[in-house]
Amino acid sequence: MRPRDFTWAYLLPAAAGAGVLLGGLWTLTLPVFAWIVLPVLELVLPLSAPRLTPEQEEEVRQDPGFEHVLTGLVLSVLAVSAAFVVQVGRGALVGWELVGAIIAVGTCAGGVGINVGHELSHRRAAWRRALGKLSLLPTLYQHFSIEHVRGHHGRVGTEADPASARRDEPLPAFWVRSLVLGYLHAWKLETDRLRRRERSPWTWSNEMVRNTVVQAVVVGAITVFAGPLALGAFLASALFGALMLETVNYFEHYGLRRVQDADGRYEQVASRHSWDSEHLLSRVLLLQLTLHADHHAHPLKPYQTLRLHDQAHQLPTGYPGMILLALVPPLFFKVMNPRLRPEVEAA
């Protein structure tokens, strides 16, 4: 894989941007591509996942082009969201065009913005993490960088993790639990961190305080300069993107549990506690998020070095198709439950 292979991800903000700027049927370009064309293609295309040698992994790790891809995607998502707000504010998008644009921008913000924010939240460099926070701004989901890194990764596959779906748990119930508890836990993580340092949690040092202020300023600016309709459209697209992310969380660990010993300690996170997908289009468009087991085994590995784990559970299709499948709980359970292996199945 080379950096240019992942530039296909720019199709998503490009399609969303075309819809926002051109209006009309162009607003349906990304929704049709993401939710009809991609799921069908991934049902018929062959599977493909990397098997890098240690030498190849080190080579791609050192290639700066992969980081440039991420930076460009952040800027693209921010540009699409800004153009969307301006267009709605000036009355260029109304009726069904507005609905199509909300779905397009939400798909872009969730599928690209949150995904890139997720990748950058694991970086050691503070400025890269800050860039990731900007990528999360169009969905007002900046708390995700705290909860995911310091909460989800340590608690995955346990009852304490709101982002690990239980067996037979319907998606709407998971949405409510993960949205609410994930947000509250991010506050708790920051509050506990500052109290350990004997500092008040109500200071600018609290990331959640900074997140809240920044997001409130964005909401206020949209209201003042673009109007209430633009604000409503922005909030609707942000919610759409956030629910996309939570739906992905839903099936990435669905029904998988870590064993707890008599002392209450959980076994170490292993490949069998995640669902992987070898579907090429999802891998390229979503920066190999689909190789999720390796990400949990090695959280600091950059996306270009991730590889398939043989012990991971395998999803029946790529991520767009899985999102659609999750929206129909009886069908989702019928497809997914037989794929659960007894040793990691939820009790």
Side-chain angles (χ1 to χ4, degrees):
M1 301 293 284
R2 299 298 178 192
R4 64 175 178 269
D5 297 316
F6 292 102
T7 58
W8 287 103
Y10 285 89
L11 283 175
L12 304 182
V20 166
L21 295 175
L22 300 176
L25 291 176
W26 285 98
T27 61
L28 303 180
T29 303
L30 183 53
V32 169
F33 175 68
W35 306 117
I36 298 177
V37 176
L38 279 180
V40 171
L41 286 177
E42 292 200 310
L43 287 176
V44 299
L45 291 177
L47 304 181
S48 171
R51 301 281 183 172
L52 299 178
T53 66
E55 294 76 17
Q56 291 171 327
E57 182 173 321
E58 186 58 27
E59 178 186 350
V60 298
R61 183 191 300 272
Q62 297 299 328
D63 189 336
F66 292 101
E67 293 300 301
H68 298 333
V69 170
L70 297 179
T71 302
L73 286 172
V74 173
L75 297 176
S76 298
V77 171
L78 292 176
V80 167
S81 295
F84 174 59
V85 168
V86 170
Q87 287 289 83
V88 176
R90 59 190 289 267
L93 296 169
V94 294
W96 65 267
E97 289 177 294
L98 179 57
V99 174
I102 287 172
I103 296 173
V105 175
T107 299
C108 178
V112 180
I114 294 183
N115 189 30
V116 174
H118 160 259
E119 177 71 20
L120 291 173
S121 69
H122 286 282
R123 293 293 190 268
R124 294 185 184 276
W127 76 272
R128 301 299 288 175
R129 296 197 303 273
L131 191 62
K133 280 289 188 74
L134 282 177
S135 192
L136 296 168
L137 198 50
T139 49
L140 302 178
Y141 225 64
Q142 291 188 315
H143 70 279
F144 174 74
S145 62
I146 301 170
E147 166 59 15
H148 176 80
V149 175
R150 289 153 52 194
H152 173 64
H153 269 269
R155 304 188 300 173
V156 64
T158 72
E159 291 296 318
D161 180 32
S164 293
R166 284 72 161 147
R167 179 190 172 115
D168 293 327
E169 180 178 17
L171 179 60
F174 175 83
W175 278 344
V176 173
R177 181 165 56 83
S178 190
L179 283 166
V180 174
L181 296 185
Y183 178 78
L184 293 177
H185 193 242
W187 272 104
K188 184 178 187 302
L189 286 168
E190 276 298 275
T191 299
D192 291 347
R193 179 181 67 85
L194 290 169
R195 283 178 175 163
R196 285 193 299 270
R197 299 180 181 184
E198 299 182 344
R199 300 181 64 179
S200 168
W202 303 109
T203 67
W204 195 247
S205 298
N206 188 326
E207 272 195 72
M208 287 301 293
V209 170
R210 296 201 299 271
N211 292 344
T212 301
V213 171
V214 169
Q215 292 175 170
V217 167
V218 169
V219 168
I222 292 173
T223 305
V224 171
F225 294 108
L229 179 60
L231 175 63
F234 174 79
L235 294 178
S237 69
L239 178 61
F240 190 96
L243 292 180
M244 267 187 65
L245 174 276
E246 293 300 348
T247 305
V248 168
N249 275 340
Y250 174 70
F251 58 73
E252 281 180 332
H253 304 284
Y254 171 77
L256 307 179
R257 284 294 177 270
R258 289 154 60 193
V259 176
Q260 192 174 22
D261 63 22
D263 296 326
R265 292 174 296 191
Y266 287 98
E267 65 175 319
Q268 186 174 356
V269 178
S271 302
R272 64 183 182 276
H273 298 123
S274 297
W275 292 86
D276 269 2
S277 171
E278 298 180 66
H279 293 78
L280 178 61
L281 294 179
S282 287
R283 274 186 45 226
V284 171
L285 293 172
L286 299 176
L287 310 176
Q288 304 212 122
L289 177 67
T290 61
L291 303 179
H292 205 62
D294 199 28
H295 171 66
H296 271 275
H298 308 283
L300 295 180
K301 285 182 70 172
Y303 70 97
Q304 69 270 23
T305 66
L306 296 176
R307 62 182 180 85
L308 181 72
H309 279 223
D310 292 329
Q311 295 303 311
H313 286 68
Q314 294 300 311
L315 293 170
T317 188
Y319 274 30
M322 287 304 305
I323 290 174
L324 296 178
L325 183 63
L327 294 174
V328 188
L331 183 59
F332 180 84
F333 300 148
K334 184 176 181 179
V335 172
M336 294 292 285
N337 286 358
R339 291 172 175 261
L340 289 166
R341 296 197 293 269
E343 69 272 18
V344 288
E345 186 178 340

